[in-house]
């Protein structure tokens, strides 16, 4: 059994969640001893596992069908998580929905990260087999490392006992960046760091304005990888993820794997796999977030680090590889 993993325009979106999921797939298949290629010119594969949307993606499906190959679509995106992102995203969201439905339904089966996103796809009228499989997490990568912590603290000039709140994401309203800024305004004694980057010309003016005129205690270091961000996950006072819509949220898995106290917005995607007050804390409003961050950072609430790590363990990349392997075998045996 050989899998062709396909990712259209990788250079443009390699730092997005989809780009990271694509890398996770490669690690997962390696750990599960599944033969795969990322060469789009390859023809001696059995299943096309496709991750992206566009003319080249559709061409790959047509070529696979001509070769008599099976096709699995990895549904990373929905209409719901397309909204409140780029300029005009809300206006073209219905068109985007039609596009992804037309592409998804050309497959033999669909993989999507969570039961929540599976439910959304089914609500679109898609009747193909849909397998919810997490994007997974490499636990070893996020194990405690004092040198990474030192690198992060040096980079940002973190003082002893200074309270730091971090988040990771694109500069999208959907990601909760406006609430992140509002919370920071109300907590001037805390340092807030938002890792990630989006070209400002591609996002609405109200988001550009908060990026360009943010409070002094907010930092936008851009896209950062390696020891600095991994050290931040390990050492921050709280990982705060106020996103309004996700299909999973790989960065939440990264924080859990780092044994970090995690605060998320109480939205459907985190049910049932993240339990409030056990694996993480959940809030709905700016007032909730301010109160919870202060209590978490000052140890007035029980730590959720160990239980959160147990959740990450269930989504270890090696386990994901075995789950993908089972789906491939199922699809190969479909008539």
């Amino acid at each position: 059994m050989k899998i062709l993993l396909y990712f259209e325009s990788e250079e443009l979106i390699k730092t997005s969640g989809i780009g990271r999921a694509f890398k996770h797939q490669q690690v997962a298949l390696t750990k599960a001893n599944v033969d795969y290629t990322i060469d789009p010119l390859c023809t001696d594969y059995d299943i096309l596992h496709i991750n992206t949307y566009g003319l080249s993606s559709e061409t790959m499906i047509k070529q696979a069908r001509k070769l008599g190959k099976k096709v699995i679509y990895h549904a990373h995106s929905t209409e719901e998580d397309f909204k409140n992102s780029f300029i005009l995203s809300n206006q073209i969201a219905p068109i985007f929905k039609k596009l992804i439905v037309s592409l998804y339904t050309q497959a033999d089966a669909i993989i999507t990260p969570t039961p929540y996103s599976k439910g959304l796809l089914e609500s679109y009228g898609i009747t193909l087999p849909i397998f919810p499989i997490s994007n997974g997490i490499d636990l070893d990568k996020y194990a405690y490392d004092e040198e990474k912590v030192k690198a992060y603290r040096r980079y940002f000039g973190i003082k002893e006992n200074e309270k730091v709140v971090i988040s990771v994401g694109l500069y999208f309203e959907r990601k909760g960046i406006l609430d992140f800024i509002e919370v920071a305004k109300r907590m001037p004694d805390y340092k807030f760091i938002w890792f990630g980057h989006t070209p400002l010309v591609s996002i609405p003016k109200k988001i550009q304005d908060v990026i360009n005129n943010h409070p002094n205690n907010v930092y936008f270091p851009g896209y950062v990888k390696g020891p600095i961000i991994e050290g931040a996950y390990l050492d921050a006072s709280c990982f705060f993820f106020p996103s309004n819509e996700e299909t999973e949220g790989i960065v939440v898995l990264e924080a859990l794997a780092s044994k970090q106290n995690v605060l998320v917005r109480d939205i459907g995607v985190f049910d049932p796999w993240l339990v409030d007050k056990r694996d993480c804390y959940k809030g709905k409003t700016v007032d909730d977030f301010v109160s919870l961050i202060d209590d978490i950072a000052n140890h007035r609430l029980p730590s959720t680090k160990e239980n959160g790590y147990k959740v990450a363990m269930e989504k270890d990349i090696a386990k994901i590889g075995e789950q993908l392997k089972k789906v491939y075998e199922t699809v190969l045996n479909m008539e």
Side-chain angles (χ1 to χ4, degrees):
M1 179 174 65
K2 185 174 183 178
I3 311 302
L4 170 55
L5 295 176
Y6 183 69
F7 194 98
E8 181 177 348
S9 304
E10 182 176 3
E11 283 303 308
L12 292 177
I13 54 174
K14 65 182 179 181
T15 61
S16 69
I18 301 175
R20 288 152 90 177
F22 182 62
K23 295 297 184 185
H24 285 196
Q25 289 164 21
Q26 295 172 60
V27 175
L29 296 193
T30 298
K31 287 182 177 289
N33 295 313
V34 175
D35 188 17
Y36 76 90
T37 179
I38 59 172
D39 179 5
L41 300 179
C42 174
T43 58
D44 67 338
Y45 62 91
D46 299 291
I47 298 175
L48 170 64
H49 180 163
I50 191 163
N51 285 270
T52 43
Y53 330 98
L55 293 175
S56 295
S57 298
E58 188 160 27
T59 298
M60 288 297 295
I61 296 172
K62 291 178 180 177
Q63 290 175 351
R65 292 308 189 193
K66 286 181 181 179
L67 293 169
K69 312 294 188 182
K70 297 287 187 179
V71 177
I72 292 176
Y73 226 114
H74 211 123
H76 298 286
S77 296
T78 64
E79 178 187 22
E80 287 76 7
D81 79 354
F82 183 75
K83 291 177 179 178
N84 296 311
S85 54
F86 297 104
I87 292 173
L88 299 178
S89 61
N90 290 3
Q91 290 85 339
I92 64 176
I95 299 170
F96 178 75
K97 178 181 177 181
K98 289 181 180 179
L99 168 66
I100 59 175
V101 169
S102 71
L103 289 171
Y104 292 165
T105 52
Q106 292 180 49
D108 295 290
I110 296 171
I111 294 172
T112 196
T114 55
Y116 171 79
S117 53
K118 176 184 178 182
L120 289 179
L121 298 177
E122 290 172 338
S123 76
Y124 298 168
I126 295 175
T127 58
L128 290 172
I130 303 175
F131 301 92
I133 298 178
S134 171
N135 289 304
I137 190 69
D138 185 348
L139 294 176
D140 292 340
K141 183 177 179 181
Y142 296 94
Y144 188 81
D145 185 325
E146 188 175 351
E147 292 306 311
K148 290 180 179 179
V149 171
K150 288 178 179 178
Y152 146 73
R153 294 184 74 86
R154 280 196 304 267
Y155 188 85
F156 289 105
I158 306 298
K159 300 173 185 175
E160 193 69 26
N161 299 320
E162 187 170 19
K163 302 291 194 298
V164 182
V165 178
I166 66 167
S167 195
V168 183
L170 300 173
Y171 297 157
F172 289 165
E173 183 175 358
R174 170 177 69 81
K175 291 288 186 180
I177 194 167
L178 296 179
D179 278 357
F180 185 86
I181 295 291
E182 183 58 33
V183 170
K185 286 180 180 177
R186 298 193 192 182
M187 307 185 77
D189 294 334
Y190 284 64
K191 183 173 285 187
F192 285 75
I193 305 173
W194 182 287
F195 292 95
H197 175 75
T198 310
L200 295 185
V201 295
S202 68
I203 55 178
K205 185 177 184 300
K206 65 179 178 180
I207 307 300
Q208 293 183 36
D209 288 345
V210 300
I211 300 298
N212 290 325
N213 301 285
H214 56 78
N216 291 334
N217 63 328
V218 176
Y219 299 81
F220 290 104
Y223 178 70
V224 178
K225 62 180 181 179
I228 292 170
I229 189 169
E230 290 163 18
Y233 275 127
L234 294 167
D235 192 62
S237 305
C238 177
F239 176 80
F240 171 36
F241 193 62
S243 180
N244 292 284
E245 185 68 35
E246 295 290 325
T247 53
E248 182 174 39
I250 289 178
V251 296
V252 174
L253 297 181
E254 292 172 350
L256 295 171
S258 304
K259 295 189 176 181
Q260 176 59 254
N261 275 313
V262 172
L263 169 61
V264 299
R265 191 184 299 275
D266 189 0
I267 54 176
V269 71
F270 298 125
D271 292 325
W273 60 279
L274 278 180
V275 178
D276 185 27
K277 301 180 181 66
R278 186 192 73 184
D279 311 319
C280 68
Y281 287 97
K282 297 182 180 181
K284 293 183 178 180
T285 67
V286 168
D287 287 342
D288 290 344
F289 298 142
V290 170
S291 175
L292 285 165
I293 288 170
D294 199 44
D295 285 345
I296 290 167
N298 288 290
H299 312 292
R300 291 191 292 265
L301 287 171
S303 172
T304 60
K305 292 180 180 181
E306 292 302 325
N307 283 330
Y309 185 73
K310 290 176 184 177
V311 173
M313 288 175 66
E314 290 302 311
K315 299 176 185 298
D316 178 60
I317 204 82
K319 293 183 179 181
I320 301 308
E322 293 299 326
Q323 292 174 29
L324 290 172
K325 185 177 181 179
K326 287 181 181 178
V327 170
Y328 295 151
E329 292 169 346
T330 299
V331 171
L332 276 179
N333 290 323
M334 286 180 177
E335 294 297 331

